[in-house]
Amino acid sequence: MNRFFDSFRYAGQGIALALRTERNLRFHVCAAAAVSLISALLGLSRLEWAAVLGACALVITAELVNTAVERAVDLAAQQIHPVAKAAKDTAAGAVLAAAFFAVLIGLLVIGPHVWRLLAAWAQ
């Protein structure tokens, strides 16, 4: 049973290390916190919360996987190699794709609430 709980500890250490060393991960976590605060202030429905939190989780998860891929490739490839570059670039592309779709989800879910507030404020 200790091994089961150890796996949680190791995962937490990995997240903590990535947060300490990866600027982009810190940015995405801050963005997720800001979006969560805005979502709370707007009073999103449970389904809207699910979409927003799912998008945030996808971006943060992609960033963590990207970090793991980059470190593994750096360890395996002591010199610059086209295949190592392709692996790292593809992992970074996954983060970019996740972030792009998260923005779209944010616009679809949060956008109408913001427009309603702006319209009410303009009157």
Side-chain angles (χ1 to χ4, degrees), residues 5 20-22 27 32-33 35-36 40 58-59 68-69 81 91 96 103:
F5 292 113
R20 280 194 311 274
T21 60
E22 299 298 321
F27 171 80
V35 167
S36 295
L58 179 63
V59 173
V69 167
H81 190 280
L96 181 61
V103 168

Side-chain angles (χ1 to χ4, degrees), residues 14-61:
I15 293 169
L17 176 64
L19 281 168
R20 280 194 311 274
T21 60
E22 299 298 321
R23 182 190 70 227
N24 290 344
L25 179 60
R26 289 191 302 272
F27 171 80
H28 288 301
V29 168
C30 289
V35 167
S36 295
L37 177 63
I38 291 167
S39 297
L41 294 173
L42 291 172
L44 297 187
S45 71
R46 290 172 71 181
L47 186 58
E48 290 170 324
W49 267 107
V52 168
L53 291 177
C56 291
L58 179 63
V59 173
I60 291 168
T61 300

Side-chain angles (χ1 to χ4, degrees), residues 6 9 32-33 40 43 48 67 78 81 85 87 92 94-95 97 113:
D6 285 345
R9 190 178 81 236
E48 290 170 324
T67 298
Q78 299 298 318
H81 190 280
K85 181 182 181 333
V95 177
H113 292 280

Side-chain angles (χ1 to χ4, degrees), residues 42 106-123:
L42 291 172
L107 290 173
L108 288 170
V109 173
I110 295 172
H113 292 280
V114 172
W115 284 118
R116 262 193 302 278
L117 281 176
L118 291 175
W121 180 74
Q123 292 179 353

